[in-house]
Amino acid sequence: MPEQPQPLVGVVMGSKSDLEWGQQVSRYLQELGIPHESRILSAHRTPVEAAHYAQSAAERGLAVIIAIAGLAAHLPGVLAAYTWLPVIGLPLAGGPLRGQDALYAMVQMPPGVPVATVGLDNPRNAAVLAAQILAVRHSDVRARLLQWRREQTESVRLADRQLQQSSATAVPEPRP
Amino acid sequence: MPEQPQPLVGVVMGSKSDLEWGQQVSRYLQELGIPHESRILSAHRTPVEAAHYAQSAAERGLAVIIAIAGLAAHLPGVLAAYTWLPVIGLPLAGGPLRGQDALYAMVQMPPGVPVATVGLDNPRNAAVLAAQILAVRHSDVRARLLQWRREQTESVRLADRQLQQSSATAVPEPRP
Amino acid sequence: MPEQPQPLVGVVMGSKSDLEWGQQVSRYLQELGIPHESRILSAHRTPVEAAHYAQSAAERGLAVIIAIAGLAAHLPGVLAAYTWLPVIGLPLAGGPLRGQDALYAMVQMPPGVPVATVGLDNPRNAAVLAAQILAVRHSDVRARLLQWRREQTESVRLADRQLQQSSATAVPEPRP
Amino acid sequence: MPEQPQPLVGVVMGSKSDLEWGQQVSRYLQELGIPHESRILSAHRTPVEAAHYAQSAAERGLAVIIAIAGLAAHLPGVLAAYTWLPVIGLPLAGGPLRGQDALYAMVQMPPGVPVATVGLDNPRNAAVLAAQILAVRHSDVRARLLQWRREQTESVRLADRQLQQSSATAVPEPRP
Amino acid sequence: MPEQPQPLVGVVMGSKSDLEWGQQVSRYLQELGIPHESRILSAHRTPVEAAHYAQSAAERGLAVIIAIAGLAAHLPGVLAAYTWLPVIGLPLAGGPLRGQDALYAMVQMPPGVPVATVGLDNPRNAAVLAAQILAVRHSDVRARLLQWRREQTESVRLADRQLQQSSATAVPEPRP
Amino acid sequence: MPEQPQPLVGVVMGSKSDLEWGQQVSRYLQELGIPHESRILSAHRTPVEAAHYAQSAAERGLAVIIAIAGLAAHLPGVLAAYTWLPVIGLPLAGGPLRGQDALYAMVQMPPGVPVATVGLDNPRNAAVLAAQILAVRHSDVRARLLQWRREQTESVRLADRQLQQSSATAVPEPRP
Amino acid sequence: MPEQPQPLVGVVMGSKSDLEWGQQVSRYLQELGIPHESRILSAHRTPVEAAHYAQSAAERGLAVIIAIAGLAAHLPGVLAAYTWLPVIGLPLAGGPLRGQDALYAMVQMPPGVPVATVGLDNPRNAAVLAAQILAVRHSDVRARLLQWRREQTESVRLADRQLQQSSATAVPEPRP
Amino acid sequence: MPEQPQPLVGVVMGSKSDLEWGQQVSRYLQELGIPHESRILSAHRTPVEAAHYAQSAAERGLAVIIAIAGLAAHLPGVLAAYTWLPVIGLPLAGGPLRGQDALYAMVQMPPGVPVATVGLDNPRNAAVLAAQILAVRHSDVRARLLQWRREQTESVRLADRQLQQSSATAVPEPRP
């Protein structure tokens, strides 16, 4: 087995039930070629482990932490309390309040301890934001990020061209 | 293929995933006999194309733009920034916040750059509003709009008559 | 007294308590040189007058109606039921629910009878949207609208230049 | 066919799509032995019919109107504008905003024109409230209402007794 | 002291701090010539008195109860549990959630025990709804209600005429 | 049948339709070895029984009441009005407003009569909170509570270890 | 200085700016004769101290913790992660979202780690809930709690009597 | 005048009316010793300038953009469309919807174009997040950030000690 590269991003879930979301973040980070590690650490059930993880994150070489949680989503804020690294919060919508609780619990942090919050159930944006933060220092991440954005733009342009062609033929004359 | 009439309305979607909504708007515009064109232009992924589309819309003969988007629905506002044509915003509800995000992002535009916002997931109203705007100048659109409203009224009257007839026979005597 | 020009826009308030908002709409329409008339017509207290006003609006030469209301703001929808003219709804926030009631009651109209809703407490956008609708047909309105937008743009540019100049001198060296 | 008794309650729906809810209200009124009539009248698509219905309701012997609507639910308010009879509003939740729009559009009526609003998707309460209003004058309705409430109470008591019995046997000893 | 007429409406507040709202309801009932009584009865602090009041209300000749409360406004529902009379709920907005709590706690009653809910901080509508309920049976209340509505309509008409006159003179020519 | 131990917790549902939630609370209490009883008592349909239950709860040896309800969830507040025991409120989300009504109706109690509210649809937390309240006095409950928390912690740690192992092998090299 | 009694309740604020609310809780606890201690411990700025405080709370003799916080109010949840004592959460409304953020961040805790949440800006209920929890074991607290509730009931009864007397004289005859 | 250091952060406001918030961000950045520049660029009134600013930001040496806006706050999203730099969004609460519109319009960006959103009216967190992003690469920023956090922690500790001392003397004996 080839040696793993040093992870730059820590992807932390608050519960085993968030695993699928963590895997999506992981997949998007891989697409952008960003080495990372994934952990399940609960702000409320394994608070000592969560605190220790955040405290040691910078010295272990991480540059960004992504924390994923739903409901009263304290995890990113609790991690942010123990590290100076930027913490990205990914709020999940899977509860009766459809994520409004998770969104508020992440974004409304008190002055001095921010969480960089992205959209509800939006793992892509958690990964891309991590890439943007890394891209200033890591030219290879920047290159892949720019390449990915070009592809994204191209894909919208292609869909637009296809729509224009199909409309041109499909739209009938207005009724006389 | 017969020549397409000059489009009066531009129907713009922010993403390929909004295509179905755009097709519904298109269908309702056709019912009202309004020539139009459909485009996929993203405020965030193809911003240059979106800006160019809005900038050139008036001189290309468009009189109204309908912009369809969900989530943080910037598209109608971004188009409105580049044109003096009225922009109708159709907010979509298909996310965890059920369109409250899209509605606010369209209707709460800053003073001076309005978006004419219609109801969530309501393509009919986007099309009818476009027809109402055009109807002052285009007597044929006005005629078709009035005809369509008469049919709509007749359809409610018919349902009411059917209900009255069925009730008259179906409702039993109150219990003694 | 010189003869009033034929009004193109009807500005309708639902209550005397909305008068101040109607006056603001009126002022902005004047800035854009748009002849208009102002009325107090209640969907619930003078429904017959409101219905008659909307029914006769088109034949009296109006091209757009702006309806202003708060709380369960039925006025624009009730007017829209009696006319094919586009009705712009201006929702007001002055109640305990801060206008969420008025916004929903305007924008969530049933399919077929749209209200072109603008932002809460935003009379400028009601007036500008009316101007945009008129501008296609009325080149003088278009000219004034474009002129007003240029001034608006210039005003932001000016504020930006002033900020850049003041920052350049005011920002001290970062702490060593 | 025996002659229909004089209806005391008018059940009005805003659209054919609300028919099922109207039938539920109708069924509950029948259970309480209250003669009634059902109509489809749209505040926006057949406003003239709706106004006429409300205007003539009292002289035709109705004592209460129940109006059912969703989205920007203007119907009960529009009817209330044309009659001095109490109007009960039944807001429906079937849209992206889950009825918050319909609830606000009914309950937040301006001073002087109330709508007696009951819970979202709660046809039972619309019917029972109508019965309560009628019960002061109509001793037979009062008798049936009281009987129905006794049955309702008995049904809860029965469920409670069954639960107590099943718990008594089913709950195991706490773990030692 | 002349003998008080038999009260037809009971106005119940949940707390001394709601006294001002109760006085407004009382004033509007007096305007409509409706004899009534006012009480402070708390669903949570004097629940026995509240239950007894509701239980004896009908036999004491009351025909309607108006219950006023804020926050988790249980009062109207608790009264409704002990009487078959219609209970009108007046929700108050004076808390951090601006009455959304009080509104939901009144309107969302379970099937079978409705509260006729009116708008937030809207004592006028609580009184008018009580008058509408009484008006079927009490022709004098009906007469005063109709008279009051005519005055209300006249007042809007007057304001409209004044506005039209002032506009006619005040609105300057559009800018050339 | 062995004698039931004296119940320490009363689990009260507002309706037969909440039975499943009550059974979940019951199951979690059993896991924690807490003797309890379950009842269906409606604040609105059997208010006398509900009041009597709360009034006699302390003298019958109960130490905590858990009340489960949805919509305008008055039950816990009504019980709290008749007892000095702590009342835990478990709000249910199963309605159009997704439990926001139930949550507000429980948590926003007036000063002096609190309801200890836990999360929407969260029977586990109702049971654990009851255990925490009992644990100060009952060392056996405390022991089982601590044991259960250790198991919960262990379960998160195990999931974390499994994730780390699977990631170590599964994550491919970043793209070159 | 007389020796302080052993505190039974810990009152914890998340920030110096919450001091006034902590003092109110303290005052209400004193009224109920409950010895307590007050601390400022931040979940994000002094997380180590907060964790240590909660971990040692039970062995130092505390029986309940009250945690006060606004915005993304993590404090009660973070304390609850480190202790088996019941944690009462008092959410504060003093931000743009008027406490909806704080309420959700407290009440929506994940299964297994509850926070007993009371109303927004309601220090009285935090103190009374603590007293209710203590009252089972501490007969003197129970006695004072019952006494306080009697006084509260008496105060409502007195206000009701005063209102009845003033109404009896003040309400004029209905208009003839 | 000494030469300005190369700015690392661009602080962009959407309107002159947001100037005070921009100055606060600027002040906090200065406290952390981060060179920056401030601009007023409107997504809707000077869209060309805004696009150009974002497009050229990276090559001019900026590493982070902070965008400040209220209402339908498109600014950060529009800037993010034109740059690969991380864009921090600071939503403002100063409108009828108290910033819920601005928050949603920033955080709910479509997949691929994130905005790192911080709390409403929280300029401190916008500045600190920028510092955290810069701190990985800039050891001097990291040092100042850590120093600032230590001071922040010390300030909470000091307030806690003062509270403990004042409580020790001020809290009277519980009532006997």
Side-chain angles (χ1 to χ4, degrees), chain B residues 98 153 157 160 172 175, chain D residues 30-31 39-40 45 49 96:
Chain B
R98 303 186 71 86
T153 298
R157 281 184 187 140
D160 182 35
R175 298 188 309 191
Chain D
Q30 281 178 241
E31 276 184 43
R39 298 292 302 271
I40 297 175
R45 283 170 286 204
E49 286 83 349

Side-chain angles (χ1 to χ4, degrees), chain F residues 85-154:
Chain F
L85 293 179
V87 176
I88 296 172
L90 171 55
L92 301 181
L97 298 174
R98 303 187 72 87
Q100 219 171 32
D101 40 8
L103 172 57
Y104 290 167
M106 289 188 179
V107 81
Q108 285 293 81
M109 288 288 289
V113 192
V115 165
T117 307
V118 296
L120 285 158
D121 290 353
N122 199 332
R124 172 67 89 182
N125 276 3
V128 170
L129 180 55
Q132 290 176 306
I133 291 172
L134 294 167
V136 174
R137 201 174 48 156
H138 298 267
S139 60
D140 57 330
V141 172
R142 183 163 68 244
R144 281 188 293 266
L145 177 62
L146 289 169
Q147 174 60 22
W148 181 80
R149 285 184 62 144
R150 272 191 296 270
E151 289 166 16
Q152 194 190 30
T153 298
E154 238 3 276

Side-chain angles (χ1 to χ4, degrees), chain H residues 148-165:
Chain H
W148 181 80
R149 283 184 66 143
R150 273 192 296 270
E151 289 167 16
Q152 194 190 30
T153 298
E154 236 7 274
S155 146
V156 176
R157 281 185 187 139
L158 177 62
D160 183 36
R161 280 196 301 273
Q162 288 172 338
L163 174 63
Q164 287 185 71
Q165 284 159 11

Side-chain angles (χ1 to χ4, degrees), chain F residues 20-40:
Chain F
E20 202 182 348
W21 293 105
Q23 286 166 339
Q24 287 197 47
V25 172
S26 189
R27 178 149 47 89
Y28 295 131
L29 288 172
Q30 279 177 242
E31 276 184 44
L32 294 160
I34 296 172
H36 60 280
E37 63 185 20
S38 292
R39 298 292 301 272
I40 297 174

Side-chain angles (χ1 to χ4, degrees), chain C residues 30-31 39-40 45 49 96, chain E residues 98 153 157 160 172 175:
Chain C
Q30 281 180 240
E31 277 184 42
R39 299 291 302 271
I40 297 175
R45 285 172 285 207
E49 286 83 348
Chain E
R98 303 187 72 85
T153 298
R157 282 185 187 137
D160 183 35
R175 299 189 307 192

Side-chain angles (χ1 to χ4, degrees), chain C residues 52-99:
Chain C
H52 180 257
Y53 181 80
Q55 270 170 331
S56 63
E59 67 194 37
R60 287 192 304 104
L62 293 186
V64 180
I65 293 175
I66 295 173
I68 308 170
L71 302 176
H74 298 189
L75 183 61
V78 164
L79 297 176
Y82 288 99
T83 183
W84 57 265
L85 293 179
V87 176
I88 297 172
L90 171 54
L92 300 181
L97 298 174
R98 304 187 72 86

